[in-house]
Amino acid sequence: MIRFLISISFTALFANSLQADEGMFPISELARLNLQSKGMQLTPGELFNSEQVSLVDGICRVNGCTGSFVSSDGLIITNHHCAFDAIQKASTSANDFLQKGFIAKERSMEIPAAGYNVRITEGYSDVSAKVLSAVTDYMTFLERTKAIEKRRKQIEQTAEQENKGLRAEVAEMFAGKTYVLFLYTYLKDVRLVFAPPISIGAFGGEADNWEWPRHTGDFSFMRAYTAPDGSSADYSLNNIPFHPKRPIKVAPQGVNEEDFVFLLGYPGRTVRQKTASYFRFEQDVRLPAIVELYGWQIGEMDRAGASDRSIAIKHASRSKSLANVEKRSRGQLLGMVRTSIVATREQQESELQAFIQADPQRKAKYGSLLKDISLVYDEMTSKGPLEIHLKELKSACRAMSFAFTLYDAAVERTKEDIDREAPYMNRNYDLTIQQLKLDIADWDAATDAQMLQGILTRLSKISNSNEVEALKKPLANLDVAASLLKSTRLGQVAFGEECLKKSPDELATSGDGLLSWMIRLYPTYKQLRDVDKERDGRLGQLYGSLMEAKQAFQPSVFVPDANATLRITYGRVRGYSPADAILKTPISTLQGVIEKTTGVEPYITPQEVIDRYRTKAFGPFVHPKLGQVPVAILYNTDTTGGNSGSPVLNAKGELVGVNFDRTFEATINDFAWNESYSRSIGVDIRYVLWVTGWVYNAKHLLDEMGIR
Ligand code: ASP
């Protein structure tokens, strides 16, 4: 297998942006980090080595999460909330794996996790020059974005041809500046092996989500499979377990307060390099809209599922992910005020502006930069309400989302492969369609009617929504839209399959009223997509220049924002003080689970846990000082969404926990990290092993992980 390694150098924007432990560092930075002086016992080469087997070979991306291989037979440990979709899809009201949990007693009983895939980073190389050579000075911003997109796709296609069997992806590290090609082993047959009941896996529900102290056993096990020859393959009974080059060793003794820990993973997105004008847009427009829109949708789904478990199961996964983002957004809004993020950033920018103004050449080149960036956000602010609600129309109303994907697919598939929107390119199409079918299978007509009515009511209150021709009628009479939804066939997989065979013109005459309405709205959505691309092009160029100006102002070492590529972060198991006179310690225990248990959602604890607590059947998994099974741990690393499921590793690179969350104060991490409030939360390996082996008797999994 070809691997290549090219170091990428990153230079800082603000000298103070790199605090002692801040940073989701790209793997290329390992040598520079001097982790051994911080407590690490592994060398950079033992962590990642392009030529030999290294720790990174045991880490994988599981859809939008992270996982670790914990056996040589492809057993993966990740979060319960990361496997949630698979557990939900496998559940029915008669056989409810969400409620009762799932144990595959033998491999033949493992359940295919449709829509899941697993990636392992094999190598990377800087392709910035290749990407940026696609851009010329004469392009409009829209042309610029499209040219960069196309070049990235070309590089990916070529890399996949040259590295058969691997998946290629070009990631933007610094907007408008730095691009890196990543190569992945890509496994498509993933199965569910073990999940605790939701009362353990999501103990505390949304009340406890993003909070500490925490008592959630947010873990589950999956397994990756390959074709008999070891190549990546779709699900088949003939497939065999994947053999990772180096599984991660599990350390059943766990960790202690102040121990050094580090995490490897695939953090999704941070926005720490953005300007004050961006944060103002987030604070005033986008985040409040998300809180309102998601809060409302969660309420609708809760109501719909309250008296019918089969409907509750259909909505469970979507409702959970909206709730996660809704609460995070509330935390971010509070955090923005608490940390005065806009004012702080404005102060930094006024110093930068003074520096720019002091030199005529700099002034000519960068003088209007900050202003130009804020103009983009001004435009997004004024158009925000309509744009956000239009986008939500084809997301909240699931049938509208299906209609959009079906028509968009038909339109895009008439183009050359390289010119299509990414989801419809040949290399992604199967995945897109598989996801569409899974979503259709979860459709509930009555809930969707509420969603459509709710979003249209909201749109009707936005003054310029009448500018959208195709909205006029349904906005004037909500019953028109309701009747379209009532008669649509878009909630039937068979109709979706029929539509996938049709051309755009044929779809336009399908006779399905809701689909026809979406087709009339389609030019609006196409325009919105272009507007986003135009802004991306503008901002990409402007942020690229801003970085140059900042480098000239205060050069130092700097880390790129998270972008779902492999990163390392390190720190210590440590408590914190979120407010005056409050001190939170970093290890929670089973005693806390019992104390919280009321028998009412979300604090129900399975009887088998209570019984073992009462008889002190803790096995060897007792914390020596606390005298209890530890449940969750807190540490001061730098993480975000996507680090869900990341291994928490001790100084020797052994698994001592599985990361799953942050504290409420740390939701602001995505904008600004700070040692005083940034804390991540993981489930303690001792709780994982106790629940799996002692409570649910899946000792075969402990054996497989080498735990005696
Ligand atoms: N629980 C979080 C999530 O799923 C993980 C994090 O963001 O730290 O988004």
Side-chain angles (χ1 to χ4, degrees):
M1 186 168 300
I2 299 180
R3 295 204 193 200
F4 40 98
L5 175 60
I6 295 183
S7 77
I8 312 155
S9 65
F10 302 104
T11 313
L13 301 188
F14 288 110
N16 64 1
S17 69
L18 188 71
Q19 303 285 343
D21 292 320
E22 175 176 5
M24 303 166 181
F25 299 96
I27 225 68
S28 56
E29 298 297 284
L30 279 175
R32 187 181 65 69
L33 291 176
N34 195 10
L35 289 180
Q36 276 148 317
S37 72
K38 314 266 171 28
M40 173 80 84
Q41 291 176 28
L42 301 176
T43 62
E46 286 168 323
L47 289 167
F48 179 73
N49 188 323
S50 57
E51 308 302 330
Q52 286 163 24
V53 172
S54 56
L55 194 78
V56 159
D57 290 313
I59 314 298
C60 55
R61 184 168 160 193
V62 183
N63 285 11
C65 288
T66 303
S68 314
F69 289 108
V70 284
S71 88
S72 53
D73 275 349
L75 186 67
I76 296 168
I77 188 163
T78 185
N79 291 146
H80 182 270
H81 81 259
C82 297
F84 195 92
D85 214 42
I87 310 168
Q88 181 235 309
K89 297 279 183 306
S91 294
T92 59
S93 44
N95 204 5
D96 193 340
F97 297 129
L98 278 174
Q99 288 295 358
K100 64 181 185 181
F102 172 75
I103 309 170
K105 296 223 169 69
E106 42 193 80
R107 295 203 182 153
S108 61
M109 294 166 75
E110 293 170 2
I111 301 176
Y116 276 71
N117 59 68
V118 158
R119 298 161 200 233
I120 305 147
T121 299
E122 298 294 349
Y124 54 90
S125 62
D126 189 328
V127 290
S128 310
K130 262 195 220 164
V131 171
L132 291 171
S133 68
V135 176
T136 71
D137 291 346
Y138 311 105
M139 286 175 166
T140 63
F141 293 120
L142 179 58
E143 285 166 351
R144 183 189 154 91
T145 303
K146 288 190 171 172
I148 289 178
E149 261 178 24
K150 187 165 178 175
R151 181 58 56 86
R152 285 168 72 170
K153 289 190 273 191
Q154 284 165 338
I155 294 171
E156 288 166 354
Q157 277 185 338
T158 310
E160 285 179 7
Q161 277 153 16
E162 286 169 359
N163 298 277
K164 282 274 174 270
L166 294 193
R167 174 103 182 162
E169 245 157 58
V170 174
E172 184 179 71
M173 306 307 277
F174 287 112
K177 279 269 169 227
T178 320
Y179 298 84
V180 173
L181 167 67
F182 287 86
L183 287 178
Y184 299 101
T185 288
Y186 184 66
L187 306 174
K188 295 181 286 186
D189 182 354
V190 184
R191 304 184 195 175
L192 183 65
V193 175
F194 176 94
I198 194 166
S199 51
I200 292 178
F203 181 78
E206 279 313 306
D208 277 18
N209 195 14
W210 302 108
E211 305 284 350
W212 183 263
R214 196 63 164 276
H215 298 88
T216 312
D218 193 349
F219 73 94
S220 42
F221 291 95
M222 304 184 93
R223 193 186 305 279
Y225 283 79
T226 65
D229 65 358
S231 64
S232 174
D234 289 322
Y235 171 80
S236 156
L237 275 178
N238 294 332
N239 285 352
I240 58 164
F242 169 69
H243 302 302
K245 285 177 222 153
R246 181 209 190 282
I248 302 292
K249 187 171 182 306
V250 174
Q253 73 278 13
V255 260
N256 262 314
E257 190 161 352
E258 284 305 311
D259 280 357
F260 172 86
V261 287
F262 70 103
L263 277 72
L264 286 156
Y266 290 87
R269 184 166 180 263
T270 54
V271 283
R272 296 185 189 157
Q273 320 318 325
K274 302 273 189 200
T275 55
S277 49
Y278 167 82
F279 290 125
R280 212 177 301 109
F281 165 73
E282 285 285 302
Q283 188 168 315
D284 296 347
V285 181
R286 201 187 69 85
L287 288 172
I290 293 293
V291 170
E292 196 283 320
L293 284 164
Y294 286 14
W296 152 64
Q297 290 173 60
I298 295 157
E300 295 293 359
M301 286 188 267
D302 282 353
R303 269 188 290 284
S307 55
D308 187 335
R309 180 67 191 153
S310 66
I311 292 178
I313 291 174
K314 282 182 174 196
H315 294 327
S317 190
R318 185 168 163 80
S319 173
K320 187 172 168 64
S321 52
L322 293 194
N324 190 44
V325 176
E326 189 271 344
K327 189 165 178 189
R328 183 185 69 199
S329 305
R330 279 192 281 126
Q332 289 173 333
L333 279 167
L334 285 175
M336 290 179 105
V337 175
R338 193 185 68 241
T339 60
S340 310
I341 196 162
V342 174
T344 311
R345 200 52 61 109
E346 273 171 350
Q347 175 58 31
Q348 290 171 333
E349 286 169 8
S350 72
E351 288 165 23
L352 175 68
Q353 190 67 28
F355 167 76
I356 291 171
Q357 298 293 116
D359 175 272
Q361 258 183 338
R362 272 202 304 264
K363 188 175 160 192
K365 204 164 170 199
Y366 305 121
S368 68
L369 213 48
L370 287 164
K371 181 91 201 98
D372 292 343
I373 291 177
S374 80
L375 287 177
V376 182
Y377 297 121
D378 287 350
E379 181 190 306
M380 286 164 67
T381 299
S382 70
K383 302 204 168 141
L386 181 59
E387 291 183 356
I388 290 170
H389 284 80
L390 271 173
K391 286 177 186 167
E392 208 56 34
L393 170 60
K394 72 169 171 64
S395 161
C397 177
R398 306 306 295 146
M400 288 295 271
S401 153
F402 310 152
F404 178 81
T405 304
L406 290 168
Y407 191 69
D408 204 27
V411 172
E412 291 295 314
R413 300 281 288 176
T414 61
K415 300 178 186 168
E416 289 291 317
D417 192 45
I418 194 80
D419 292 321
R420 294 176 196 162
E421 291 295 324
Y424 312 107
M425 291 177 71
N426 291 336
R427 59 198 285 272
N428 301 322
Y429 190 60
D430 286 353
L431 216 65
T432 304
I433 298 312
Q434 187 183 34
Q435 192 55 52
L436 173 68
K437 288 184 190 166
L438 290 170
D439 289 344
I440 294 178
D442 280 341
W443 191 66
D444 175 56
T447 318
D448 225 24
Q450 295 300 323
M451 295 294 183
L452 183 59
Q453 180 167 41
I455 192 69
L456 287 175
T457 305
R458 283 166 175 76
L459 271 163
S460 68
K461 295 187 183 134
I462 297 170
S463 57
N464 50 344
S465 57
N466 253 320
E467 288 165 17
V468 183
E469 196 53 44
L471 276 182
K472 278 189 180 153
K473 228 197 209 155
L475 284 184
N477 182 356
L478 294 189
D479 292 344
V480 172
S483 66
L484 292 182
L485 193 83
K486 233 183 228 146
S487 60
T488 188
R489 293 173 63 204
L490 284 160
Q492 300 167 14
V493 174
F495 181 67
E497 276 168 350
E498 234 173 76
C499 289
L500 285 168
K501 294 186 199 123
K502 294 193 170 156
S503 68
D505 286 347
E506 287 166 339
L507 287 178
T509 55
S510 72
D512 191 285
L514 199 75
L515 179 58
S516 301
W517 180 35
M518 173 48 85
I519 295 173
R520 288 207 294 125
L521 273 170
Y522 186 75
T524 304
Y525 285 117
K526 208 167 144 350
Q527 194 195 349
L528 276 182
R529 186 150 70 192
D530 280 353
V531 165
D532 283 345
K533 287 187 186 196
E534 193 269 344
R535 287 180 193 146
D536 263 8
R538 256 201 287 172
L539 289 172
Q541 196 172 51
L542 292 168
Y543 273 113
S545 302
L546 185 65
M547 204 171 101
E548 288 169 16
K550 285 176 171 177
Q551 275 175 344
F553 180 41
Q554 279 179 333
S556 71
V557 178
F558 174 67
V559 187
D561 269 317
N563 59 356
T565 60
L566 183 62
R567 305 294 176 98
I568 184 168
T569 173
Y570 58 88
R572 290 191 180 267
V573 177
R574 186 173 287 175
Y576 78 127
S577 169
D580 184 39
I582 297 180
L583 200 61
K584 295 198 176 185
T585 54
I587 304 180
S588 67
T589 68
L590 188 56
Q591 185 182 329
V593 175
I594 302 299
E595 283 168 2
K596 275 185 183 173
T597 298
T598 58
V600 178
E601 292 274 14
Y603 298 110
I604 298 170
T605 296
Q607 194 57 42
E608 46 271 38
V609 171
I610 298 174
D611 291 346
R612 280 163 186 77
Y613 172 77
R614 289 211 179 114
T615 56
K616 290 196 167 22
F618 299 150
F621 303 114
V622 181
H623 189 283
K625 283 198 204 123
L626 302 172
Q628 285 283 329
V629 181
V631 172
I633 46 176
L634 194 68
Y635 34 89
N636 63 356
T637 57
D638 186 357
T639 62
T640 187
N643 275 120
S644 286
S646 278
V648 185
L649 301 156
N650 66 16
K652 290 193 259 181
E654 299 164 342
L655 190 86
V656 292
V658 185
N659 185 72
F660 67 91
D661 208 8
R662 283 169 281 159
T663 58
F664 201 52
E665 295 77 23
T667 51
I668 191 73
N669 258 17
D670 297 352
F671 304 152
W673 185 93
N674 190 303
E675 211 280 331
S676 70
Y677 60 73
S678 290
R679 290 292 181 279
S680 311
I681 302 171
V683 53
D684 192 298
I685 194 66
R686 289 162 283 198
Y687 195 51
V688 171
L689 297 174
W690 183 70
V691 169
T692 308
W694 259 249
V695 180
Y696 291 107
N697 222 9
K699 292 224 166 58
H700 61 291
L701 294 179
L702 270 57
D703 287 345
E704 189 177 342
M705 290 184 276
I707 308 293
R708 298 273 163 251

